Amino acid sequence: MKELSSHAMESDLLPLIGRVYEMESLRALETPEYSAADSAAATSSGSTFDQAPADPVWTAQTAEQEDEPVLPFIGRILEHVPGQAIVVERELNLDEDLHLADHAFVHAPGVKPLYACLPVVPMTLSLEILAETAACLAPGYGLIGFEDVKATRWIELADTDRLRLRITGRLDQWDAERNTAHIAVAIHVENQATPAIQARVLFSTRYRLDLEVNFTELANPYRYPRSAEEIYRERHLFHGPIYQCLAGEIVLGDRGAVGELVVQTPEIMFRTIRKPQFLTEPALLDAVGQLIGIWAMERERYVFPVSIKKLELYRPTPAPGTRCPTRIEITRDEGKLLFVDVEIQDGAGTVWMRIKDWTDWKFRWEKRLLNFRRLPTRHLLSHTLDLPGLTPTASCRMISSDDIAGFDSSLLARFCLHLDEMETFSDMRSHTPGQQHWLLGRIAAKDAAREWLARQAGTEEMLHPAALIIRNGEQGQPELAPTPELQQVPRLSISHSEHRAIAVAHAGPVGVDIEPIRPRPSSFVETMASETERSLLRDLKGDADEWITRLWCAKEVAAKLLGLGMNGSPKVYEAQVMREDGLVHIVHRDSGRAIVVRTVRREEFVIAYAGPTVTETEAGLA
């Protein structure tokens, strides 16, 4: 990219302004029906969403009826002191704001409604919302940039199809010498005390070059092996079509990258707003974050934007379809933060904008978690657990809290749980450890069931975990609820202990249990084991705590397999044989039914498991 002079950037082009009729419409707020004095009174009385004027003077929909271009995020104007302050309300609506469907964290098409998939407003779209509100305080002036952008929380639609935003703007500084307004704007989400994002938005009559950004030569460049089409198709980035602005070849280097971004048409972002007038280009700006994300992913890091020190515009937005050469340079990589400078051309060889200190928060996730998150129907989150003697037709999976470290449990639950199960998960929020243990068990069980079902069907594509519902049967044992998608329903058994969970799916009755090996008081052994069993324990060689744990696990498995529970006493299940290889022969004393349970030690845990009930002869124990 060629360097441009200060003169080239401070051209005779006028910055993009909000249409004059929109600014003129604000004068109606000074009529007797809603005067500036009314606005001041509303401010002093602490106007809120619920105290907004019942009959707003102007909205974007009013202009739409007149078939004029509109600033799409100016909804109701609640308060206004011309040139000084403004309060705007804008309700996000999943039916109207189509862009939200293409920025949802949870990928569950056809399985979950959009409101359950956590649609999130990108930081770059928030910049557009801030700019439009600020424009109302600067009629006749154009947008030239942003300063001190700080995003403190997601603007998300969590289990709702509507969300009200209150955008406040005030003149923070007027630079008469440079004829520039610095307008402080913030977005407040309903029921939240502090703003989700805030910034100073700059308006003037001429573009200005103030940023000093020095880009170095790309060191050790190499072509990124995936095309933009593959990146989006395979969901290495989660963005839908509206935000798919990467194009052409991407070249990465030690501390930067070069690529092309395509300008999208704004009309595709809304259902009924036919002529939205954007002051920025939010979809393309979001793709800046995507390009940074690709650089970070090559280093096994994953990033989300949190702030921008300064963004300067030097030209109006190029026409839709324009391919804009873009380069990024990593200026600092410190702790949890990544600082990046950006330059974007306009597709005609001239610099369109520059960004100083685009700042991302860094995460590190396990590869298995990342793959599951992007394509849950092709990847399992848990690990295969090979257990000696377990029939190959069964599926056994294990997961630990380490496998999901650094990933928000509530977000992970949205990927894995059916809507009916989310209610149970939410009810457990007061007991965080128990909530996570329960979630780990559900993940392991659904993975086991999905693997088993795919194997039966002979397909690689699996059911989405959120399409399955695990409920408790009559005896409390977990079972899959029948659905039209399930041609066969496997039996399930789940166990979790401390920070691990294990599950088995099988065509017939199955039981599994996991327990940590630890010293237990003599009172526990006396309550759990009969005199015959205590004699068996004394005869076994090795760690006594391990054998006590094996016996307890074997009883748990027998109870799960038969579906009869403990009936108040573990002694109802009695071990007749305990072998050095871990095989335990259990008899249910009330029914006389016999179960062969296998027990193994894995690290500091005992795992016990059993399949269909067998006789002594079949088990080779007669």
Side-chain angles (χ1 to χ4, degrees), residues 476-544:
Q477 72 272 30
E479 63 181 24
L480 279 180
T483 65
E485 295 81 12
L486 295 179
Q487 302 299 317
Q488 304 178 68
V489 180
R491 303 284 189 91
L492 294 177
S493 184
I494 306 172
S495 180
H496 42 75
S497 181
E498 296 187 349
H499 303 296
R500 302 186 184 210
I502 185 173
V504 177
H506 185 256
V510 66
V512 69
D513 194 55
I514 182 171
E515 291 287 346
I517 300 169
R518 61 172 179 260
R520 289 175 169 82
S522 58
S523 58
F524 172 82
V525 179
E526 291 175 2
T527 301
M528 180 265 293
S530 67
E531 178 56 41
T532 300
E533 291 172 321
R534 293 199 293 272
S535 177
L536 290 174
L537 290 170
R538 287 192 292 269
D539 291 341
L540 290 164
K541 298 176 183 179
D543 186 346

Side-chain angles (χ1 to χ4, degrees), residues 426-437:
S426 298
D427 289 343
M428 302 171 70
R429 59 182 171 268
S430 60
H431 182 50
T432 303
Q435 186 188 53
Q436 188 180 66
H437 294 167

Side-chain angles (χ1 to χ4, degrees), residues 527-568:
T527 301
M528 180 265 293
S530 67
E531 178 56 41
T532 300
E533 291 172 321
R534 293 199 293 272
S535 177
L536 290 174
L537 290 170
R538 287 192 292 269
D539 291 341
L540 290 164
K541 298 176 183 179
D543 186 346
D545 293 328
E546 177 183 333
W547 284 111
I548 292 170
T549 305
R550 286 179 186 257
L551 177 59
W552 172 250
C553 285
K555 289 174 179 272
E556 287 274 11
V557 165
K560 292 179 178 182
L561 186 73
L562 297 180
L564 299 176
M566 288 289 187
N567 292 330

Side-chain angles (χ1 to χ4, degrees), residues 9 80 192 202 258 264 283 434 441 622:
M9 293 189 192
H80 180 231
Q192 293 183 1
L202 309 182
V258 174
Q264 294 277 23

Side-chain angles (χ1 to χ4, degrees), residues 528 530 532-533 536 551 554-559 561-562 564-567 569-578 583-597 610 613-617 619 621-622:
M528 180 265 293
S530 67
T532 300
E533 291 172 321
L536 290 174
L551 177 59
K555 289 174 179 272
E556 287 274 11
V557 165
L561 186 73
L562 297 180
L564 299 176
M566 288 289 187
N567 292 330
S569 173
K571 291 181 180 178
V572 73
Y573 298 93
E574 186 172 65
Q576 303 292 310
V577 177
M578 293 186 68
L583 206 67
V584 182
H585 180 208
I586 297 279
V587 172
H588 182 241
R589 296 171 68 177
D590 291 348
S591 67
R593 298 171 69 182
I595 305 99
V596 174
V597 181
T613 302
V614 297
T615 66
E616 289 188 5
T617 301
L621 298 174

Side-chain angles (χ1 to χ4, degrees), residues 227-238:
S227 66
E229 181 185 9
E230 181 184 358
I231 290 169
Y232 293 122
R233 185 182 66 248
E234 296 298 313
R235 290 186 50 79
H236 294 283
L237 297 170
F238 69 90

Side-chain angles (χ1 to χ4, degrees), residues 101-109 117 224 226-241 244 294 297 302 369-379 415 464:
D102 284 353
H103 205 264
F105 278 164
V106 176
H107 185 57
C117 294
Y224 186 63
R226 295 186 178 94
S227 66
E229 181 185 9
E230 181 184 358
I231 290 169
Y232 293 122
R233 185 182 66 248
E234 296 298 313
R235 290 186 50 79
H236 294 283
L237 297 170
F238 69 90
H239 307 75
Q244 292 179 0
I294 290 171
M297 283 190 289
Y302 310 98
L369 174 60
L370 179 68
N371 286 334
F372 172 80
R373 179 183 180 271
R374 67 184 183 88
L375 291 171
T377 60
R378 295 191 201 171
H379 297 277
F415 276 92
H464 195 289

